[in-house]
Amino acid sequence: MSFTIIGLGELLWDMLPDGKMLGGAPANFAYWATRLGNRGVVASRVGTDALGDEAIDLLTQADVETTYVQRDAAHLTGVVDVELDAAGQARYTIVEGVAWDFSTIMNSGL
């Protein structure tokens, strides 16, 4: 038996010292649900920028449904800047005013 699992929330990029990694807890949840044999769906909002394109491409390649990922021409795809201190502890700076902050997913009929 499989289930439809919807990850409703932020889809963003973690900008790590060694490079970027696709993230956002709801998107990760949908990704792992798909990997475990379920129908994972991401419901979020990204910009119509290169990071948004790449996020959707990676999820699509992983068989995660992106039908409910909105595109936003006015706001950039979300990012979180990650810095590591000398002890390896992470400090996160969440960039605000990005596409997810303007999501209308609750009004989309999902």
Side-chain angles (χ1 to χ4, degrees):
M1 177 187 309
S2 67
F3 300 92
T4 297
I5 308 297
I6 301 172
L8 171 61
E10 66 277 357
L11 170 59
L12 50 79
W13 287 94
D14 292 319
M15 306 306 265
L16 304 163
D18 292 337
K20 66 183 184 293
M21 179 176 286
L22 191 58
N28 287 333
F29 188 66
Y31 169 82
W32 283 107
T34 301
R35 297 280 305 199
L36 292 169
N38 297 288
R39 177 178 168 238
V41 179
V42 174
S44 190
R45 187 177 185 97
V46 296
T48 56
D49 51 20
L51 288 177
D53 293 343
E54 189 175 356
I56 290 174
D57 288 345
L58 285 174
L59 289 170
T60 300
Q61 290 172 22
D63 294 324
V64 177
E65 186 176 329
T66 60
T67 303
Y68 296 99
V69 176
Q70 299 171 344
R71 301 305 302 263
D72 186 328
H75 302 95
L76 298 174
T77 299
V79 296
V80 175
D81 293 318
V82 182
E83 295 179 40
L84 300 178
D85 66 18
Q89 295 296 313
R91 182 173 10 143
Y92 304 95
T93 303
I94 300 170
V95 176
E96 296 182 9
V98 297
W100 167 248
D101 294 326
F102 299 90
S103 177
T104 59
I105 202 72
M106 297 306 288
N107 298 323
S108 70
L110 178 62

